[in-house]
Amino acid sequence: MEEKSKQVRKLSHLARLSLTPEEEGELAGRLEQMVGYLEALSQVEDGAEPDTPCVVTFRPDGVEPSLDRDKLLENAPQVRDGYVVTPRSVGEGGEA
């Protein structure tokens, strides 16, 4: 478990997260569960058939009316050159 805690500390440092010791312990436990699950999955034989059939139902593909552009732009708080203006969400340059 100490090895998992070390890994959690390293990952939290790389992700720029500050975790309490309790959070580190909780995440280490979750990491242990995930690794166990992946180990169990790796033991499944290639080409093994599932116990239950998988049925996927697709909706019919067709053209449907969309939003009216003029009505949409009427409700937008700010419009410029026919586009909705939104606040910048990503800065310029290499900011992280």
Side-chain angles (χ1 to χ4, degrees):
M1 188 69 157
E2 179 57 37
E3 182 64 30
K4 297 291 182 242
S5 293
K6 235 193 249 187
Q7 290 174 342
V8 168
R9 279 194 294 276
K10 182 176 180 180
L11 289 172
S12 66
H13 173 73
L14 293 172
R16 309 244 186 315
L17 298 173
S18 56
L19 301 175
T20 65
E22 293 81 25
E23 290 171 325
E24 282 182 10
E26 182 182 335
L27 289 176
R30 288 184 184 180
L31 183 61
E32 187 103 19
Q33 286 177 332
M34 286 186 268
V35 169
Y37 181 69
L38 291 173
E39 286 173 352
L41 283 177
S42 70
Q43 295 179 11
V44 173
E45 294 179 23
D46 289 334
E49 294 296 320
D51 293 337
T52 57
C54 180
V55 178
V56 178
T57 306
F58 294 102
R59 65 171 171 76
D61 194 14
V63 178
E64 295 182 8
S66 184
L67 295 173
D68 181 47
R69 180 184 170 110
D70 294 329
K71 281 188 176 185
L72 174 79
L73 294 177
E74 282 176 12
N75 293 316
Q78 189 177 2
V79 177
R80 185 179 335 138
D81 299 326
Y83 296 96
V84 176
V85 178
T86 61
R88 181 180 296 272
S89 60
V90 178
E92 294 181 27
E95 299 164 2

